[in-house]
C-alpha cells in the first residue's frame, strides 16, 4: 500500500509549519520593493516547509509527495512576470530549493505536482492558453531546479475540463501541447474527469495515449462519478497500461455519493496487487493516510 501526501501536512501545520501565500491585490497594494522583499520571504518559507513535509513523509512510511503548486505565489501573474533570480534574497531561495532537492534524494520520496485547475490547453482564448503554458513551464522549471527526473516518474498531472467533440478538442490540445518544452512534455499526464460527460479513462486513452503516448492517471472518485459503464477494475488496468513507470493514481472517497472529498477514508485503495502509488486526496491529509496504513497493516496481520 504505497501512498502519497498531497501538498499540506495537517500534522505539521498544527505545529506551526504552514505555507504562506500572496495575492496580486496584496502585491500591488505596496511599494514594489516592499512587496518583492515580502514575496521572497514567503517563497523561502514555502520551500523550507516543503523540506520538512518530505522528511515527515519519509519518517511515516508515506512514499510520495505532491508538491504545492503555490510555492511561489503571484510570481507569474501577468502583471508581475518575474523569475526567481529577479527576487531579493535569491541566494537564500536557491539554498532552500537545493536543500529540498537533497532531501528528496536522501529520502527517495517520489515527487509530483498537480498544476492549477485553471490550466487549459483546449480553450479558444489565446490569453488563457498563454497563461497556462507559462504556468506549466514554471512548474517544470521548479522540477528542474529540484533535480527531478525529466520523465513520468515525476509527473505533472492536469485535467481536460472542456466539453465538446472529443476529437476536435484533442486536436486543439495537441496544437498547444506542441508549444510546450520537452521539460513539460516529458512529464505531462492526463487525469480522468467527471465534470462533463467526455473525459473518461477510455476516451483519454483513445485520443491521447494511443496516438501520442501521453499516460492516463486513474482517479477512482472521478471514475465513480463518470465511467460509461466501465468497471473500476477495467479502467484501473487500462490506465495502468499507459504508464512506462509505476503510475501515480489518485484515491479519494465522496461524501454521501458526491464528488466532495471525505475527511477520512472508510475503505482502502484497491490496487489489485499491482505496484501503484496513490495520491490520497482526502481532506484530513496525513491523518487520513496514517489511518489507511494502520488499517491496511491490521488486515495483513490478520491474514497471516
Amino acid at each position: 500500500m504505497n501512498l502519497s501526501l498531497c501538498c499540506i501536512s495537517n500534522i505539521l501545520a498544527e505545529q506551526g509549519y504552514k505555507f504562506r501565500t500572496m495575492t496580486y491585490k496584496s502585491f500591488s497594494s505596496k511599494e514594489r520593493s516592499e512587496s518583492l522583499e515580502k514575496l521572497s520571504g514567503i517563497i523561502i518559507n514555502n520551500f523550507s516547509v516543503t523540506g520538512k513535509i518530505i522528511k515527515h513523509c519519509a519518517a511515516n512510511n508515506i512514499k510520495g509527495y505532491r508538491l504545492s503548486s503555490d510555492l511561489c505565489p503571484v510570481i507569474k501573474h501577468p502583471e508581475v512576470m518575474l523569475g526567481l533570480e529577479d527576487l531579493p534574497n535569491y541566494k537564500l531561495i536557491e539554498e532552500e530549493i537545493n536543500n529540498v532537492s537533497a532531501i528528496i534524494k536522501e529520502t527517495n520520496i517520489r515527487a509530483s505536482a498537480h498544476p492549477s485547475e485553471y490550466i487549459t490547453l483546449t480553450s479558444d482564448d489565446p490569453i488563457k492558453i498563454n497563461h497556462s503554458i507559462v504556468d506549466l513551464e514554471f512548474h517544470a522549471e521548479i522540477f528542474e531546479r529540484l533535480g527531478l527526473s525529466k520523465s513520468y516518474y515525476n509527473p505533472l498531472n492536469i485535467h481536460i475540463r472542456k466539453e465538446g467533440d472529443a476529437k476536435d478538442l484533442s486536436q486543439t490540445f495537441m496544437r498547444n501541447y506542441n508549444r510546450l518544452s520537452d521539460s513539460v512534455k516529458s512529464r505531462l499526464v492526463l487525469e480522468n474527469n467527471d465534470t462533463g460527460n467526455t473525459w473518461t479513462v477510455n476516451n483519454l486513452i483513445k485520443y491521447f495515449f494511443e496516438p501520442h503516448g501521453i499516460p492516463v492517471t486513474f482517479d477512482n472518485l472521478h471514475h465513480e462519478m463518470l465511467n460509461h459503464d466501465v468497471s473500476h477494475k477495467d479502467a484501473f488496468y487500462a490506465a495502468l497500461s499507459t504508464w512506462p513507470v509505476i503510475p501515480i493514481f489518485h484515491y479519494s472517497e465522496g461524501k454521501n455519493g458526491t464528488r466532495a472529498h471525505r475527511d477520512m477514508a472508510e475503505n482502502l485503495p484497491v490496487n489489485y496487487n499491482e505496484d501503484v502509488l496513490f495520491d490520497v486526496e482526502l481532506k484530513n491529509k496525513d491523518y487520513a493516510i496514517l489511518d489507511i496504513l494502520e488499517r491496511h497493516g491490521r488486515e495483513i496481520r490478520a491474514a497471516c
Side-chain angles (χ1 to χ4, degrees), residues 114 117-119 122 158-164 169 191-201 204 219 221-228 258-261:
H114 192 328
E117 63 181 305
Y118 300 108
I119 296 291
T122 54
I158 65 171
H159 291 274
I160 299 177
R161 299 183 186 275
K162 189 172 182 179
E163 288 292 300
L169 288 171
E191 178 186 350
N192 61 309
N193 198 32
D194 66 73
T195 52
N197 192 46
T198 304
W199 298 114
T200 59
V201 166
L204 290 174
D219 182 298
L221 183 55
H222 292 318
H223 178 77
E224 283 182 28
M225 298 294 106
L226 179 69
N227 54 55
H228 292 177
T258 71
R259 68 195 302 271
H261 296 296

Side-chain angles (χ1 to χ4, degrees), residues 7 34 47 57-58 63 81 84 92 113 124 144-145 177 180 192 194 206 220 242 244 261 276 282 294 296:
C7 306
E34 182 182 350
F47 279 105
C57 287
K63 303 297 186 181
M81 288 302 291
L84 289 174
L92 294 178
D124 297 323
E144 297 288 344
R145 286 175 176 270
Y177 174 89
L180 298 169
N192 61 309
D194 66 73
K206 178 179 179 180
N220 73 295
T242 68
H261 296 296
V276 173
L282 296 157
E294 170 59 26
H296 177 64

